[in-house]
Amino acid sequence: MPKNKGKGGKNRRRGKKEDEEKRELIIKEDGQEYAQVVKMLGNGRLEAQCFDGSKRLCHIRGKMRKKVWVNAGDIVLIGLRDFQDGKADVILKYTSDEARSLKALGHLPDSVKINQIQAEGEGDEDSDVEFDFDEDVNIDDI
């Protein structure tokens, strides 16, 4: 067996995860929109509900792939396409603190739930399901 003369393995070359320092809050410009991720579709694509009222198919840009993990319920900044209205590109993912700051500044509507997924057809009402049990029914008679 050869002696290990190196300085470590694959994990050393990969590097350490450095703590992401406070970055300045990036606000949308022309051709950009805020959105909340509804569903991850795979292959670097996702479905996002934009705050202008439309639902778009978004593509995660190559700089973010495998570096910034986007999940359902995250607030993202998307770049709109001039030639395709139903599609967009994810430019930036906001942390939960940054999303709260955007909400406080009035850039996001107050109805937005940060880090919570709202499924289609689901409202704010409580859906308590109640079952009626007939205690006198014998299961063998059915």
Side-chain angles (χ1 to χ4, degrees):
M1 295 281 291
K3 279 191 170 178
N4 291 333
K5 295 182 181 177
K7 293 191 167 57
K10 189 189 320 185
N11 290 335
R12 184 180 186 286
R13 283 190 305 253
R14 190 176 297 157
K16 295 178 183 172
K17 182 180 179 187
E18 297 177 16
D19 292 331
E20 200 169 311
E21 298 171 11
K22 284 266 190 181
R23 60 181 184 200
E24 85 176 58
L25 191 62
I26 298 173
I27 298 173
K28 73 172 183 173
E29 299 171 1
D30 286 344
Q32 296 178 346
E33 188 62 47
Y34 300 115
Q36 187 166 24
V37 178
V38 176
K39 182 168 53 171
M40 296 301 296
L41 301 174
N43 200 21
R45 295 177 303 142
L46 55 93
E47 190 175 302
Q49 179 66 45
C50 301
F51 295 125
D52 62 357
S54 63
K55 192 175 278 193
R56 291 186 170 93
L57 178 71
C58 299
H59 182 265
I60 300 173
R61 63 185 285 201
K63 191 174 180 181
M64 288 180 63
R65 281 179 82 149
K66 296 187 178 178
K67 291 179 180 67
V68 179
W69 293 105
V70 182
N71 298 313
D74 288 341
I75 305 294
V76 292
L77 179 67
I78 61 171
L80 303 175
R81 296 181 179 178
D82 297 333
F83 51 94
Q84 289 175 314
D85 191 45
K87 294 185 179 180
D89 301 299
V90 177
I91 298 172
L92 178 79
K93 174 191 164 188
Y94 290 107
T95 62
S96 55
D97 294 334
E98 290 171 336
R100 280 191 209 87
S101 302
L102 283 172
K103 192 173 178 180
L105 290 172
H107 292 286
L108 298 180
D110 292 333
S111 62
V112 174
K113 294 181 179 176
I114 298 170
N115 289 341
Q116 291 181 3
I117 307 161
Q118 185 169 347
E120 289 186 37
E122 182 181 312
D124 292 335
E125 72 275 349
D126 294 331
S127 58
D128 294 325
V129 179
E130 295 181 18
F131 294 100
D132 293 333
F133 293 105
D134 294 330
E135 309 253 341
D136 55 342
V137 175
N138 191 356
I139 205 161
D140 295 327
D141 295 337
I142 297 176

